[in-house]
Amino acid sequence: YKKKTKNLEIAVTPHFLEQQSDPERSLFVWAYHIVITNRDHERWKLTSRYWEITDAHGLTQTVEGEGVVGEQPLIHPGTSFEYTSGVPLKTPCGMMTGHYIMLCSNGEQAKIGIPLFSLDSPFDKRQAN
């Protein structure tokens, strides 16, 4: 899953964590790996994050806060910042999307979109017809 805004590319790779999940207790856990690549000629700082996490029942929770994984990284031109985080759900599938607030070295502030991505597990009971 990829999305590009203002020469900043966000790539997301979700991965179901079967060992940390417990389907009998309605606990399903995913890790997601994010790569933020700066294709701009200016330096950008990630100042905050906003997530919308929706489960299979359509229940959406929002998560927002400063930085990511305890950092507010500076991403220089031509470089990337990577991190991995996780999310638990009570359903075997769901989806996530959101945005970062980034501050450019020229003083510009921008909302950088995170692509909508699906959280799928082998316990998802949807049938293809």
Side-chain angles (χ1 to χ4, degrees):
Y1 302 92
K2 288 185 180 179
K3 186 170 191 169
K4 189 174 181 181
T5 311
K6 293 208 173 275
N7 290 322
L8 295 168
E9 183 180 272
I10 311 297
V12 183
T13 306
H15 178 72
F16 180 66
L17 300 176
E18 192 162 358
Q19 298 78 12
Q20 293 182 28
S21 298
D22 187 349
E24 291 180 9
R25 291 182 42 234
S26 295
L27 175 63
F28 303 88
V29 182
W30 288 264
Y32 54 90
H33 184 76
I34 305 267
V35 180
I36 304 167
T37 303
N38 182 353
R39 302 194 188 288
D40 199 16
H41 60 278
E42 300 281 350
R43 182 185 70 211
W44 288 85
K45 179 180 183 178
L46 191 162
T47 60
S48 65
R49 71 188 181 286
Y50 173 85
W51 286 105
E52 291 181 356
I53 306 158
T54 305
D55 71 14
H57 300 302
L59 298 173
T60 299
Q61 60 178 322
T62 59
V63 177
E64 53 189 314
E66 289 187 4
V68 290
V69 293
E71 296 184 51
Q72 289 186 324
L74 284 174
I75 308 169
H76 294 275
T79 68
S80 297
F81 175 78
E82 299 183 36
Y83 74 95
T84 300
S85 192
V87 61
L89 288 180
K90 293 181 179 180
T91 59
C93 65
M95 60 182 112
M96 290 178 67
T97 190
H99 64 264
Y100 300 118
I101 300 298
M102 307 278 288
L103 183 61
C104 186
S105 56
N106 69 11
E108 176 186 4
Q109 182 173 302
K111 184 189 292 188
I112 306 300
I114 301 168
L116 176 70
F117 60 96
S118 64
L119 303 169
D120 301 306
S121 81
F123 300 98
D124 186 359
K125 302 270 190 278
R126 291 179 291 181
Q127 298 288 325
N129 292 332

